[in-house]
Amino acid sequence: EVRAADLARMVGAAGALVLNYDGAKLRFPLPPAAARFIAAVDGRRSLGEIEQHLRSEGTVVSADAFRRTLAEVYEVLNGANLLLLRHP
């Protein structure tokens, strides 16, 4: 299990998710808002609450920007088995 805060720091520093897979370094570029998005994931907030949080701090400026960030982050992190969504 990876803590969101640690993952957010790593993504923020690299601008990507960097994984070591059997000695091969894999780099998955992520959008600029990805680190703040990941930091906002706490297992309790809904996607709507995460969107409100990111919009209030100016990380994303519109619902479309949030959806694009969500889609890119989800595709990479879910593919690496690091982010799962649950139905409330």
Side-chain angles (χ1 to χ4, degrees), residues 7-8 12 15-17 19 27 36-37 39-40 46 51 62 64 66 68 70 78 84-85 88:
L7 187 58
L17 175 65
L19 300 173
R27 187 175 194 282
R36 297 296 307 144
F37 178 93
S46 69
E51 178 183 2
S62 68
D64 285 340
F66 176 78
R68 284 191 304 273
L70 168 62
N78 184 260
L84 303 171
L85 298 180

Side-chain angles (χ1 to χ4, degrees), residues 70-81:
L70 168 62
E72 291 180 57
V73 170
Y74 181 77
E75 180 179 7
V76 171
L77 296 187
N78 184 260
N81 212 23

Side-chain angles (χ1 to χ4, degrees), residues 32-83:
R36 297 296 307 144
F37 178 93
I38 294 165
V41 174
D42 63 5
R44 294 182 303 273
R45 287 181 176 144
S46 69
L47 289 175
E49 290 168 329
I50 292 170
E51 178 183 2
Q52 284 179 327
H53 172 75
L54 296 178
R55 289 181 77 174
S56 72
E57 67 179 23
T59 300
V60 295
V61 295
S62 68
D64 285 340
F66 176 78
R67 282 192 290 275
R68 284 191 304 273
T69 298
L70 168 62
E72 291 180 57
V73 170
Y74 181 77
E75 180 179 7
V76 171
L77 296 187
N78 184 260
N81 212 23
L82 295 172
L83 178 66

